[in-house]
Amino acid sequence: MKKSPITLGLTSATLGLTLAFPTFAEADFFEDSKADLEFRNFYFNSDYRQPNASQSKRDEWAQGLILNYQSGYTEGLVGFGIDAIGLQGLKLDSSPDRQNTGLLPVGEDGAPDSYSRMGATAKARISKSVLKFGTLIPKLPTVLPNDGRLLPQTFRGTQLTSQDIAGLTFDAGRLTSNTLRNDSGHADIEVDGKGIKGAVPSDKFDFASASYAWTKTFVTGYHYANLENNYKQHIFNLVHTLPLGDAQSFKTDLRYADSSKEGNSNIDNQAFGAKFTYSIQGHSFGAAYQRMKGTTGFPHLDGTDSYLVNYVMISPDFANPEEKSWQARYDYDFAALGIPGLTFMTRYLKGDNFVRTRTLEGTEWERNTDIGYVFQSGALKNLEVKWRNGTYRSNGSGSDIDQNRFIVSYTLPLL
């Protein structure tokens, strides 16, 4: 069987490391290694309901391959290891008048037939502290790389994660470059958000994060970020789950973020969000409220997901300056009916109280539905099929949207 360039590259890198450091083979470096290959097939259709526009819809189909390798650590007081990731996207259907779905790169003559990238991460461990350098996919309130299309967004930088103190998880580091989900290259980091002006690309994004689990059901956190010459950000969060008896619980998720300008930017935002979820025997009933204050929207790194409670499928997180928004959500896990692997979600969001024009108050709403199934046994075990449907409407934005996404993914364990 012919191997892909990504597979051959990672295999060669691992073999080279073995030859350079033969003692690794005697330690847990290989015994604790893990590797898998994900096949992700993605169809994306977004209709902007503008028949006379230069581009009235975005419609593409692509195949992604995501190869992940995570080594164990060498023996000794300080253990060393290496992680690697190989990413490749293949165009199945696209055209210049339907591109820019986020699945494939955008080109003057349309999307290319393929794109790819590789990344490696060196890591060192002392006790329960791990230092990583290289390609990173951090998952923190201040930086949430997007994995909602064909390939995940990645960064380059350094990150320290420590769990040496019981109940406390501490993260700190610096990111120096950004690779968007549909790109192969590396670029400086930029900020995204409504009404933001004067921002500049930067190669210094510093972050520090501390989360403490007071009990198994009560966690609080503080998270700091600074994108040089753009903004500083402080995020506080609280998550509490209250057991209410057999197969019942009530979850409270509170979030507050204060973002202020640095350099010549105009960033000024205070965001409050509260989300409540009642779960009982497979059913989950959720409600959320979000409030923006300040002269700009909520800032976050370009291409990343937003930490706001009303960040959903289509709308840019209902985070216009001064906007108020609420959400109602329902989830059902069909395992409660004896059909494990089948899940359903639907939600509705409404936002208002922001300026659309000098004389018009802005309003917007969005409705989402997800249906997914993961095969539990047989030849198709671990194959996941998901359909996502979304509708977005607003007054005066010119961006009414009907959207459908169909994703088929399968992860093949290699080690």
Side-chain angles (χ1 to χ4, degrees):
M1 181 178 68
K2 185 177 180 181
K3 294 184 178 181
S4 71
I6 291 176
T7 304
L8 291 172
L10 291 182
T11 303
S12 300
T14 304
L15 178 60
L17 186 62
T18 304
L19 295 175
F21 302 97
T23 57
F24 282 9
E26 302 172 5
D28 295 330
F29 183 89
F30 287 110
E31 288 185 9
D32 294 337
S33 292
K34 300 177 182 179
D36 59 60
L37 176 62
E38 179 184 350
F39 301 87
R40 186 181 297 180
N41 190 279
F42 207 122
Y43 172 71
F44 185 103
N45 176 282
S46 193
D47 185 350
Y48 289 84
R49 304 177 59 83
Q50 297 173 324
N52 299 320
S54 57
Q55 183 175 353
S56 62
K57 68 177 181 178
R58 298 176 182 179
D59 186 283
E60 292 183 310
W61 181 30
Q63 175 67 51
L65 295 93
I66 305 171
L67 179 62
N68 273 299
Y69 171 77
Q70 295 179 329
S71 79
Y73 292 90
T74 60
E75 296 176 342
L77 177 63
V78 181
F80 296 94
I82 188 169
D83 297 341
I85 186 170
L87 306 167
Q88 187 172 41
L90 304 173
K91 180 177 70 175
L92 299 179
D93 180 59
S94 179
S95 68
D97 63 326
R98 294 186 283 113
Q99 63 178 338
N100 201 21
T101 64
L103 298 181
L104 300 163
V106 179
E108 292 183 1
D109 299 322
D113 291 336
S114 66
Y115 68 109
S116 61
R117 65 182 187 267
M118 293 180 62
T121 308
K123 59 186 182 182
R125 181 182 68 184
I126 301 178
S127 186
K128 294 183 179 181
S129 294
V130 176
L131 178 66
K132 293 184 177 182
F133 172 78
T135 298
L136 301 173
I137 307 180
K139 294 182 180 180
L140 299 168
T142 52
V143 50
L144 289 165
N146 180 275
D147 193 19
R149 292 292 192 276
L150 194 67
L151 304 177
Q153 178 182 19
T154 60
F155 289 88
R156 281 181 173 176
T158 303
Q159 180 177 1
L160 171 67
T161 302
S162 176
Q163 294 180 316
D164 284 302
I165 300 175
L168 177 66
T169 299
F170 174 78
D171 286 272
R174 168 176 289 182
L175 304 180
T176 57
S177 69
N178 183 8
T179 299
L180 299 176
R181 60 193 180 189
N182 61 335
D183 202 351
S184 296
H186 304 274
D188 284 346
I189 304 169
E190 299 185 43
V191 62
D192 189 19
K194 285 295 187 69
I196 294 177
K197 299 177 181 179
V200 295
S202 174
D203 62 357
K204 292 181 181 179
F205 176 77
D206 295 323
F207 61 90
S209 178
S211 292
Y212 188 74
W214 301 88
T215 67
K216 292 182 179 180
T217 60
F218 182 48
V219 179
T220 58
Y222 166 70
H223 316 274
Y224 168 81
N226 173 215
L227 181 60
E228 187 179 58
N229 293 322
N230 287 277
Y231 70 91
K232 292 182 179 180
Q233 189 172 71
H234 305 269
I235 296 179
F236 303 86
N237 70 302
L238 179 155
V239 179
H240 179 253
T241 302
L242 176 66
L244 296 174
D246 186 30
Q248 294 186 60
S249 65
F250 186 83
K251 183 178 180 180
T252 301
D253 185 345
L254 304 179
R255 309 177 188 185
Y256 176 76
D258 187 347
S259 307
S260 57
K261 65 181 181 180
E262 183 178 278
N264 294 321
S265 81
N266 67 331
I267 293 173
D268 171 37
N269 176 268
Q270 298 80 47
F272 171 76
K275 182 166 62 174
F276 307 96
T277 305
Y278 171 64
S279 301
I280 177 172
Q281 297 179 344
H283 302 273
S284 292
F285 304 90
Y289 174 77
Q290 181 174 290
R291 178 74 164 96
M292 297 292 109
K293 296 288 289 183
T295 57
T296 70
F298 178 78
H300 57 100
L301 302 188
D302 185 34
T304 64
D305 294 338
S306 165
Y307 185 62
L308 300 178
V309 295
N310 281 347
Y311 178 81
V312 288
M313 181 175 168
I314 300 175
S315 171
D317 55 32
F318 286 80
N320 291 284
E322 299 296 328
E323 183 170 7
K324 299 177 182 178
S325 59
W326 59 269
Q327 174 185 168
R329 172 171 173 158
Y330 171 72
D331 294 75
Y332 186 69
D333 186 344
F334 284 81
L337 286 180
I339 312 176
L342 180 62
T343 56
F344 171 82
M345 183 280 296
T346 187
R347 62 191 169 203
Y348 177 84
L349 299 93
K350 177 70 178 295
D352 56 24
N353 196 56
F354 61 94
V355 176
R356 180 68 72 190
T357 67
R358 291 184 178 180
T359 59
L360 180 65
E361 176 184 334
T363 63
E364 56 182 350
W365 64 264
E366 181 170 340
R367 182 178 60 245
N368 305 146
T369 301
D370 285 9
I371 300 175
Y373 181 69
V374 180
F375 288 83
Q376 302 295 297
S377 60
L380 297 179
K381 184 178 180 180
N382 297 326
L383 178 70
E384 181 177 4
V385 180
K386 178 175 285 189
W387 172 58
R388 306 192 69 191
N389 171 265
T391 300
Y392 172 79
R393 297 290 185 269
S394 66
N395 65 332
S397 71
S399 295
D400 290 347
I401 302 170
D402 293 330
Q403 192 174 107
N404 286 282
R405 308 177 189 180
F406 188 71
I407 309 110
V408 180
S409 63
Y410 176 73
T411 300
L412 175 67
L414 301 177
L415 290 176

